[in-house]
Amino acid sequence: MRKLYHFNGGVHPPTHKEQSTQSPIVQAGLPSRLVVPLHQHAGNCAKPAVKVGDRVLKGQLFGMPEGSVSSAVHSPTSGTVTAIDMQVVAHPSGLPDLCITLTPDGLDEWIPRVKTDYLTTTPEELRKLLKLAGVVGLGGAVFPSDLKLRPGKKKVKTLVLNGAECEPFITCDDMLMRERADEIVQGAEMLRHMLDADEVLIGIEDNKPEAIAAMQLAVSASSYRKLEVVAVPTIYPGGGAKQLIRVLTGIEVAAGMRSTDLGVQCFNVATAYSAHRAIAHGEPLISRIITVAGNVQHAQNFEALIGTPVHELVALAGTKTGTTAYIMGGPMMGVQLPSDKVTVTKATNCIIASSPALFPPPPPELPCIRCTRCVEVCPAELQPQDLYWFSKSRNFGKAQEFNLFDCIECGACSYVCPSNIPLVQYYRFAKSEIWANEREKDSADIARERHEFHLLRIEREKQEKAEKLALKEKAARAAKEAATKSQAEGSNSDTTTIEALRAQVREIARPETEVPKE
Amino acid sequence: MLIALLVMSVLALILGAVLGFSALKFHVEGNPLVDKIDAILPQTQCGQCSFPGCKPYATAIAAGEADINRCPPGGEEGIRKLAELLNLEFKPFGEDTAATKPKSVAVIDEYTCIGCTLCIQACPVDAISGAAKQMHTIIESECTGCELCIAPCPVDCIIMVPIQENITTWKFRYPSASNPSAANNMAKLS
Amino acid sequence: MFSPFITHAGSVREIMFKVLLALTPGIAIYAWYFGPAILISITLASLTALATEAVMLKLRQRPVLPFLRDNSALLTAWLLALSIPPLAPWWLVVVGTMFAISISKHLYGGLGSNPFNPAMVGYAVLIISFPSHMTSWIAPQGMGQLELGFIDQLQYIFAGLLPNGVSLDAVSMATPLDNLKTHLHSGHAMAEIVKEPIYSYLGGRGSEMVALAYVAGGAYLLANRIITWHLPVTFLLALFATAGLFHLADASHYAPPLFHLFSGAAMLGAFFILTDPVTSPTTIRGKFIFAAGAGFLTYVIRVFGGFPDGIAFATLLMNICVPLIDAYTQPKVFGKKGNK
């Protein structure tokens, strides 16, 4: 039996996972229209690679990665590009972002798919391949996977595969492991090969015995000897990357630290599956498994194309009256969607139809009584009551001093707060204010620099002018001298020299820029 | 009596030496206060404070010649930060100062522009590109929104456009005490 | 709406209610040994507290009902009533409770913002302003020269009238702690003093039973995770250790440590007063420092100070230190503990 470590706190919310694990994954099929956002990953927005009116094939590049932290976006099916514009996307702000609208032609015609043998390809080329295939972390953070595969300061000993899936309602990873364990295991071996890791630990919460069994079977059936399935205790947020790494290896990855520098890396099981599809089948990331649960007729998992409208996906599970909103993600960390017309992205692991019966509005907020129940459950070992106090009073410097940015926003503190304070909301507010302040400071610094340069330039121009003026005076003096000289000599016929000198003076004194006046 | 005098003089000598030594040892070059004040100012270089730029205003504040409430682009938050740095009381904007506006950038109507270069000369951060008799363009990312280019334009082709919030600059709002009711969100859904 | 969308059932109201519930065995034993007067003062304090709370909330323009229902005012009232002599005149209870709720709670910002334990502030004000009223404690059952019935107690509390021919001295007496201090001051030895009938196995007759009931209440709170063990255990250990050291050094002048644990408000303080979350530190190390300091100070005030008991002043003194303690005991967070 492997030694497991534990992290501080955690909570045990009701799981609600049974409903959506009754039936196998269903293909969601082609919707009437697909709206694919170009910014579905952490980092820079992808640059459009198609034009309106283009006929595109399934898997064709829609957006080119821009810069090192970015990823590609692809056409989910074949059809015609009908718009490239700003549309409301699955984001809590409800603001529009650049999207490509595709009208499917129903043929679902693939681009030529190139299979790659990962054993004969260098890790660097494989990373490039993953970036161009748009493979990003499917656990929710959508961080480009190729960046997580870069070698760190230390040799990677352990690759952690995250199949914990601790959030209530979400079962997409569970179902994927039950049904496609072989491909996950192959993908895991590819990732292990790229990192040259000594072992792969596949962490699955012990409330998913079927997934554990399926994965164990797939591992023992494979020829890979460095993989091990480990059942971890069920506790929220045990599926957080930092928490799972801690549980499996004892290593604590602090905020702002690269885990490869500590000799460990973590990928979601669905990411390993997508990496396998990209490398072994040449298929970019254009679909994912999404749990549809909550206030619906039949909660279940769908394999849906990226860009499928939420209302069309929910309709497949059977809508029910009383639904007031849709939540993307789980009830602990998910976001309420601005509308059901937005489309699913690579980050969409779950859609919950929410109703007041399912998630009753919280009772009114009371003052903090410093009971420290939040401290007891905080997996980052923070002092949430202090962070709340500083965030509430807009004392951002102090909040940062108290490690605000180590908060993973898991919501455990809000979950247990007897005063019903939306603690995480205060932390998000403080974080975005700090980011905004930093952006403002950066642009002020640039403006200062440019202004200083501007002053320098004016000064330089002034100097140049003065120099020219001095030159002109000198020339004038010389002309005068020459004139008097020639007069003194008594020769008044020699006017040509004077004319030449005058021309010289004009030449020097001419203004360098001509400002036309109206 | 004599002993007391001696002790006091020796003490005075020693302490004086310590002070003198630390004055040399911990000497700071330049005037860091001006830089600290300048770091708080928004660097729009707009001159709304009646000084020809942020640095001159910072110098004037440091010298005690200017009030801390003369910078509209910095907003009340800026006054608060200055008050904190200088250990002064917060002071609201005076009657004579311009109102704080939402952060904007200047945009040139390129069909009207005659290419006179007057705005190029007025821009304190060289954010306008163009040449004589050719249409000018404002580099949006470099524009501080100072509005100094508006007055010189002979054809009034420059307008100020408030910066719209987008997904990357969007901020989580301060949590409101009351919970927005679910009905509120339903309206958006349908 | 923003995540999390689900919350764990639990409220301030429920926490405070459980603390009140945990106090009931102590109150029952109290009433059994010292007569029903305590029930009268608790009722009086509760009514005053609720009324003052409502008025203060109204004045501060806060919603009255949600705060009135949080049970925190009731808890302050009960703790204060349990700290002052049950035979105290009605106005003493009213003045103390009003002061506790209005000045030491609401003027500091209400629930969650008061730096000092309101009940202990109320107690401190009363013992400084009306020392004589605060030291005439009711004699336990079978100990006084006379016993007052319920009606007699009521009459005394509200009208200051005793039955004909009965003096206050006849029905009241000093607490064991006070008695011990007076006798030690007049030169008696420990061994001689404890032979008096008001002393029993652990502490004072009757009051030791009340203290045991408080322990039971504390155990209930611990089991329900309303409080954690850190504060009560550290406090009791510190009090025990300090008392033990003095007792070891000079057994004839210093009472045994167990006597200190079961006398006065030690148990009430350990489980119900120090554990007030608002006025105690939030860090684990801070809790140890806070409780140890309170235990030590309690002993020092009891034995060397001029007041009959030390819990209130020890608590208040440590309350002042809480922000400092918290600031200096911040724990290292996840990933920043210098692990390999």
Short mmCIF file of all heavy atoms in Angstrom, two decimals, chain A residues 212-249:
data_model
loop_
_atom_site.label_atom_id
_atom_site.label_comp_id
_atom_site.label_asym_id
_atom_site.label_seq_id
_atom_site.Cartn_x
_atom_site.Cartn_y
_atom_site.Cartn_z
N ILE A 212 -11.78 3.24 -11.02
CA ILE A 212 -10.53 2.67 -10.50
C ILE A 212 -10.29 1.31 -11.12
O ILE A 212 -9.19 1.01 -11.63
CB ILE A 212 -10.56 2.59 -8.95
CG1 ILE A 212 -10.61 4.00 -8.35
CG2 ILE A 212 -9.35 1.80 -8.43
CD1 ILE A 212 -10.81 4.02 -6.86
N ALA A 213 -11.35 0.49 -11.16
CA ALA A 213 -11.22 -0.87 -11.71
C ALA A 213 -10.85 -0.81 -13.19
O ALA A 213 -9.95 -1.52 -13.65
CB ALA A 213 -12.52 -1.64 -11.51
N ALA A 214 -11.54 0.06 -13.95
CA ALA A 214 -11.29 0.16 -15.38
C ALA A 214 -9.86 0.62 -15.65
O ALA A 214 -9.18 0.08 -16.54
CB ALA A 214 -12.27 1.15 -16.02
N MET A 215 -9.40 1.58 -14.89
CA MET A 215 -8.05 2.10 -15.09
C MET A 215 -7.01 1.05 -14.71
O MET A 215 -5.99 0.90 -15.39
CB MET A 215 -7.84 3.38 -14.28
CG MET A 215 -8.59 4.59 -14.81
SD MET A 215 -8.07 5.12 -16.45
CE MET A 215 -6.53 5.91 -16.06
N GLN A 216 -7.27 0.33 -13.61
CA GLN A 216 -6.33 -0.71 -13.19
C GLN A 216 -6.21 -1.80 -14.27
O GLN A 216 -5.12 -2.26 -14.59
CB GLN A 216 -6.78 -1.33 -11.86
CG GLN A 216 -6.09 -0.65 -10.69
CD GLN A 216 -6.73 -0.94 -9.37
OE1 GLN A 216 -7.85 -1.48 -9.31
NE2 GLN A 216 -6.05 -0.60 -8.29
N LEU A 217 -7.36 -2.15 -14.83
CA LEU A 217 -7.38 -3.16 -15.88
C LEU A 217 -6.57 -2.67 -17.09
O LEU A 217 -5.76 -3.41 -17.65
CB LEU A 217 -8.84 -3.41 -16.30
CG LEU A 217 -9.07 -4.63 -17.20
CD1 LEU A 217 -8.82 -5.91 -16.42
CD2 LEU A 217 -10.47 -4.60 -17.78
N ALA A 218 -6.79 -1.41 -17.47
CA ALA A 218 -6.08 -0.86 -18.62
C ALA A 218 -4.58 -0.80 -18.38
O ALA A 218 -3.79 -1.10 -19.27
CB ALA A 218 -6.62 0.55 -18.93
N VAL A 219 -4.20 -0.45 -17.15
CA VAL A 219 -2.76 -0.37 -16.84
C VAL A 219 -2.14 -1.76 -16.90
O VAL A 219 -1.08 -1.96 -17.51
CB VAL A 219 -2.54 0.28 -15.45
CG1 VAL A 219 -1.10 0.09 -15.00
CG2 VAL A 219 -2.89 1.77 -15.49
N SER A 220 -2.81 -2.76 -16.31
CA SER A 220 -2.21 -4.10 -16.28
C SER A 220 -2.22 -4.73 -17.68
O SER A 220 -1.36 -5.54 -18.01
CB SER A 220 -2.90 -4.98 -15.25
OG SER A 220 -4.29 -4.97 -15.47
N ALA A 221 -3.21 -4.32 -18.51
CA ALA A 221 -3.25 -4.88 -19.87
C ALA A 221 -2.19 -4.24 -20.76
O ALA A 221 -1.80 -4.82 -21.77
CB ALA A 221 -4.64 -4.64 -20.47
N SER A 222 -1.74 -3.05 -20.38
CA SER A 222 -0.73 -2.38 -21.21
C SER A 222 0.65 -2.94 -20.91
O SER A 222 0.83 -3.69 -19.96
CB SER A 222 -0.74 -0.88 -20.94
OG SER A 222 -0.15 -0.62 -19.68
N SER A 223 1.61 -2.49 -21.74
CA SER A 223 2.97 -2.98 -21.50
C SER A 223 3.77 -1.98 -20.67
O SER A 223 4.95 -2.15 -20.45
CB SER A 223 3.66 -3.19 -22.85
OG SER A 223 3.61 -1.99 -23.58
N TYR A 224 3.10 -0.91 -20.23
CA TYR A 224 3.81 0.11 -19.47
C TYR A 224 3.96 -0.33 -18.03
O TYR A 224 3.00 -0.75 -17.39
CB TYR A 224 3.06 1.46 -19.52
CG TYR A 224 2.58 1.80 -20.91
CD1 TYR A 224 1.27 2.17 -21.12
CD2 TYR A 224 3.45 1.75 -22.00
CE1 TYR A 224 0.81 2.49 -22.39
CE2 TYR A 224 3.00 2.06 -23.26
CZ TYR A 224 1.68 2.43 -23.46
OH TYR A 224 1.23 2.73 -24.71
N ARG A 225 5.17 -0.19 -17.50
CA ARG A 225 5.42 -0.69 -16.16
C ARG A 225 5.57 0.41 -15.11
O ARG A 225 5.86 0.15 -13.97
CB ARG A 225 6.68 -1.57 -16.17
CG ARG A 225 6.47 -2.91 -16.85
CD ARG A 225 5.54 -3.83 -16.02
NE ARG A 225 4.79 -4.72 -16.88
CZ ARG A 225 3.51 -4.53 -17.22
NH1 ARG A 225 2.84 -3.48 -16.78
NH2 ARG A 225 2.89 -5.37 -18.01
N LYS A 226 5.46 1.66 -15.56
CA LYS A 226 5.71 2.74 -14.62
C LYS A 226 4.43 3.45 -14.17
O LYS A 226 4.47 4.51 -13.58
CB LYS A 226 6.66 3.77 -15.25
CG LYS A 226 8.08 3.22 -15.34
CD LYS A 226 8.97 4.12 -16.15
CE LYS A 226 10.40 3.58 -16.15
NZ LYS A 226 11.25 4.30 -17.09
N LEU A 227 3.29 2.83 -14.51
CA LEU A 227 2.02 3.45 -14.16
C LEU A 227 1.38 2.76 -12.96
O LEU A 227 1.49 1.55 -12.81
CB LEU A 227 1.05 3.38 -15.35
CG LEU A 227 1.15 4.48 -16.41
CD1 LEU A 227 2.50 4.52 -17.06
CD2 LEU A 227 0.04 4.35 -17.42
N GLU A 228 0.75 3.54 -12.11
CA GLU A 228 0.07 2.95 -10.95
C GLU A 228 -1.20 3.73 -10.66
O GLU A 228 -1.20 4.96 -10.64
CB GLU A 228 1.00 3.00 -9.73
CG GLU A 228 0.43 2.25 -8.53
CD GLU A 228 1.27 2.43 -7.28
OE1 GLU A 228 2.48 2.74 -7.41
OE2 GLU A 228 0.73 2.27 -6.19
N VAL A 229 -2.28 2.98 -10.46
CA VAL A 229 -3.55 3.62 -10.09
C VAL A 229 -3.62 3.68 -8.57
O VAL A 229 -3.41 2.68 -7.89
CB VAL A 229 -4.75 2.82 -10.65
CG1 VAL A 229 -6.06 3.44 -10.18
CG2 VAL A 229 -4.68 2.78 -12.17
N VAL A 230 -3.86 4.87 -8.02
CA VAL A 230 -3.91 5.03 -6.56
C VAL A 230 -5.27 5.60 -6.17
O VAL A 230 -5.67 6.65 -6.67
CB VAL A 230 -2.80 6.00 -6.06
CG1 VAL A 230 -2.77 6.01 -4.55
CG2 VAL A 230 -1.45 5.62 -6.64
N ALA A 231 -5.97 4.88 -5.30
CA ALA A 231 -7.23 5.40 -4.78
C ALA A 231 -6.93 6.40 -3.68
O ALA A 231 -6.17 6.10 -2.76
CB ALA A 231 -8.09 4.26 -4.25
N VAL A 232 -7.48 7.60 -3.79
CA VAL A 232 -7.25 8.62 -2.77
C VAL A 232 -8.56 8.90 -2.04
O VAL A 232 -9.64 8.68 -2.59
CB VAL A 232 -6.67 9.92 -3.39
CG1 VAL A 232 -5.31 9.67 -4.00
CG2 VAL A 232 -7.63 10.51 -4.41
N PRO A 233 -8.47 9.37 -0.78
CA PRO A 233 -9.70 9.61 -0.03
C PRO A 233 -10.57 10.67 -0.70
O PRO A 233 -10.06 11.61 -1.31
CB PRO A 233 -9.21 10.12 1.32
CG PRO A 233 -7.76 9.83 1.38
CD PRO A 233 -7.27 9.69 -0.02
N THR A 234 -11.88 10.49 -0.58
CA THR A 234 -12.82 11.44 -1.15
C THR A 234 -12.95 12.63 -0.23
O THR A 234 -13.46 12.51 0.89
CB THR A 234 -14.20 10.77 -1.34
OG1 THR A 234 -14.03 9.65 -2.19
CG2 THR A 234 -15.19 11.74 -1.95
N ILE A 235 -12.47 13.76 -0.68
CA ILE A 235 -12.64 14.99 0.09
C ILE A 235 -12.48 16.17 -0.87
O ILE A 235 -11.65 16.13 -1.77
CB ILE A 235 -11.63 15.09 1.26
CG1 ILE A 235 -11.92 16.32 2.12
CG2 ILE A 235 -10.19 15.11 0.79
CD1 ILE A 235 -11.20 16.32 3.45
N TYR A 236 -13.32 17.17 -0.69
CA TYR A 236 -13.21 18.36 -1.54
C TYR A 236 -12.24 19.35 -0.90
O TYR A 236 -12.34 19.58 0.29
CB TYR A 236 -14.60 19.01 -1.72
CG TYR A 236 -14.53 20.26 -2.56
CD1 TYR A 236 -14.58 20.18 -3.94
CD2 TYR A 236 -14.35 21.50 -1.96
CE1 TYR A 236 -14.46 21.32 -4.71
CE2 TYR A 236 -14.24 22.64 -2.74
CZ TYR A 236 -14.30 22.54 -4.10
OH TYR A 236 -14.17 23.66 -4.87
N PRO A 237 -11.29 19.97 -1.55
CA PRO A 237 -10.92 19.90 -2.97
C PRO A 237 -9.73 18.97 -3.23
O PRO A 237 -8.69 19.43 -3.68
CB PRO A 237 -10.55 21.34 -3.28
CG PRO A 237 -9.92 21.84 -2.00
CD PRO A 237 -10.51 21.04 -0.88
N GLY A 238 -9.90 17.69 -2.99
CA GLY A 238 -8.82 16.73 -3.21
C GLY A 238 -8.43 16.59 -4.67
O GLY A 238 -7.39 16.03 -4.99
N GLY A 239 -9.28 17.11 -5.59
CA GLY A 239 -8.97 17.04 -7.01
C GLY A 239 -8.23 18.26 -7.52
O GLY A 239 -7.91 18.34 -8.70
N GLY A 240 -7.97 19.22 -6.62
CA GLY A 240 -7.14 20.36 -7.01
C GLY A 240 -5.74 19.84 -7.30
O GLY A 240 -5.26 18.94 -6.59
N ALA A 241 -5.08 20.35 -8.33
CA ALA A 241 -3.77 19.82 -8.72
C ALA A 241 -2.80 19.84 -7.54
O ALA A 241 -2.15 18.84 -7.24
CB ALA A 241 -3.22 20.62 -9.89
N LYS A 242 -2.73 20.97 -6.85
CA LYS A 242 -1.78 21.09 -5.73
C LYS A 242 -2.12 20.10 -4.63
O LYS A 242 -1.24 19.51 -4.01
CB LYS A 242 -1.84 22.50 -5.15
CG LYS A 242 -1.18 23.54 -6.02
CD LYS A 242 -1.62 24.92 -5.60
CE LYS A 242 -1.36 25.92 -6.69
NZ LYS A 242 -0.12 26.64 -6.53
N GLN A 243 -3.42 19.93 -4.39
CA GLN A 243 -3.84 19.03 -3.31
C GLN A 243 -3.53 17.58 -3.67
O GLN A 243 -3.06 16.82 -2.84
CB GLN A 243 -5.33 19.21 -3.02
CG GLN A 243 -5.66 20.43 -2.17
CD GLN A 243 -5.31 21.74 -2.82
OE1 GLN A 243 -5.55 21.94 -4.01
NE2 GLN A 243 -4.70 22.64 -2.07
N LEU A 244 -3.81 17.21 -4.94
CA LEU A 244 -3.57 15.82 -5.34
C LEU A 244 -2.07 15.52 -5.34
O LEU A 244 -1.64 14.44 -4.92
CB LEU A 244 -4.19 15.55 -6.71
CG LEU A 244 -4.17 14.09 -7.13
CD1 LEU A 244 -5.03 13.26 -6.18
CD2 LEU A 244 -4.67 13.91 -8.55
N ILE A 245 -1.26 16.48 -5.80
CA ILE A 245 0.20 16.28 -5.76
C ILE A 245 0.65 16.07 -4.32
O ILE A 245 1.45 15.19 -4.01
CB ILE A 245 0.92 17.51 -6.38
CG1 ILE A 245 0.69 17.55 -7.90
CG2 ILE A 245 2.41 17.49 -6.08
CD1 ILE A 245 1.26 18.78 -8.58
N ARG A 246 0.09 16.87 -3.42
CA ARG A 246 0.43 16.74 -1.99
C ARG A 246 0.04 15.34 -1.47
O ARG A 246 0.84 14.68 -0.82
CB ARG A 246 -0.31 17.83 -1.22
CG ARG A 246 -0.38 17.66 0.28
CD ARG A 246 0.92 17.99 0.95
NE ARG A 246 0.90 17.56 2.34
CZ ARG A 246 1.97 17.35 3.07
NH1 ARG A 246 3.17 17.51 2.56
NH2 ARG A 246 1.88 16.95 4.32
N VAL A 247 -1.17 14.92 -1.80
CA VAL A 247 -1.65 13.63 -1.29
C VAL A 247 -0.79 12.48 -1.80
O VAL A 247 -0.43 11.57 -1.06
CB VAL A 247 -3.14 13.42 -1.67
CG1 VAL A 247 -3.57 11.99 -1.43
CG2 VAL A 247 -4.03 14.38 -0.88
N LEU A 248 -0.42 12.54 -3.09
CA LEU A 248 0.28 11.41 -3.69
C LEU A 248 1.79 11.43 -3.43
O LEU A 248 2.42 10.38 -3.34
CB LEU A 248 0.02 11.36 -5.19
CG LEU A 248 -1.41 10.95 -5.59
CD1 LEU A 248 -1.61 11.12 -7.07
CD2 LEU A 248 -1.70 9.52 -5.17
N THR A 249 2.38 12.64 -3.34
CA THR A 249 3.84 12.69 -3.23
C THR A 249 4.33 13.37 -1.97
O THR A 249 5.51 13.29 -1.63
CB THR A 249 4.46 13.44 -4.43
OG1 THR A 249 4.04 14.81 -4.34
CG2 THR A 249 4.00 12.87 -5.75
#
